Amino acid sequence: DQHATAARVKVILDHRHIQEEPGALFFHHDVWADQNPELERKVDTLYAALDLLIKQSRDPDFPYHVASNAVTIKNWTSQLTGQDLRGTHLMGADLSHAVLAGSDMRT
């Protein structure tokens, strides 16, 4: 279930500053890249959970650093093209070298 996965990921992202650990994310991406279809499904589930956490940051009571970590992970391991990021709170996210073609980042 996407919401259950998002809840588990939120607990992890709520206590770590992903922006300070880029090596771990690049390792994660390299290990999971071009693996078997089962791993691809798990990655897809993770990305869906990250998308949900990013969208939840539209709620002012949602911890913004969770969404910041989530969008940083997506930026470093995937891409952000075509994302609806309107009204999300992403303060502190690492968007360096982000490909944002077709993404909406209006406040």
Side-chain angles (χ1 to χ4, degrees):
D1 170 60
Q2 182 179 355
H3 290 280
T5 301
R8 288 192 307 270
V9 172
K10 180 181 181 274
V11 169
I12 295 166
L13 297 182
D14 199 17
H15 298 286
R16 302 193 64 142
H17 298 284
I18 297 298
Q19 296 81 354
E20 297 171 7
E21 304 179 46
L25 283 172
F26 289 122
F27 174 77
H28 158 74
H29 182 261
D30 290 344
V31 167
W32 284 44
D34 299 321
Q35 294 292 327
N36 67 47
E38 179 60 29
L39 286 178
E40 282 186 39
R41 281 191 291 283
K42 289 181 179 182
V43 170
D44 290 343
T45 300
L46 173 62
Y47 285 156
L50 294 174
D51 287 338
L52 182 61
L53 293 172
I54 293 165
K55 287 181 172 100
Q56 287 177 341
S57 78
R58 291 176 177 142
D59 177 348
D61 294 328
F62 190 82
Y64 74 86
H65 59 279
V66 171
S68 174
N69 283 338
V71 81
T72 297
I73 292 169
K74 289 221 37 189
N75 181 41
W76 289 351
T77 62
S78 177
Q79 58 182 322
L80 296 170
T81 57
Q83 298 287 307
D84 179 7
L85 301 172
R86 286 177 292 168
T88 55
H89 299 272
L90 305 175
M91 186 172 67
D94 183 348
L95 295 174
S96 57
H97 308 290
V99 178
L100 297 165
S103 292
D104 189 346
M105 297 189 69
R106 292 178 283 173
T107 54

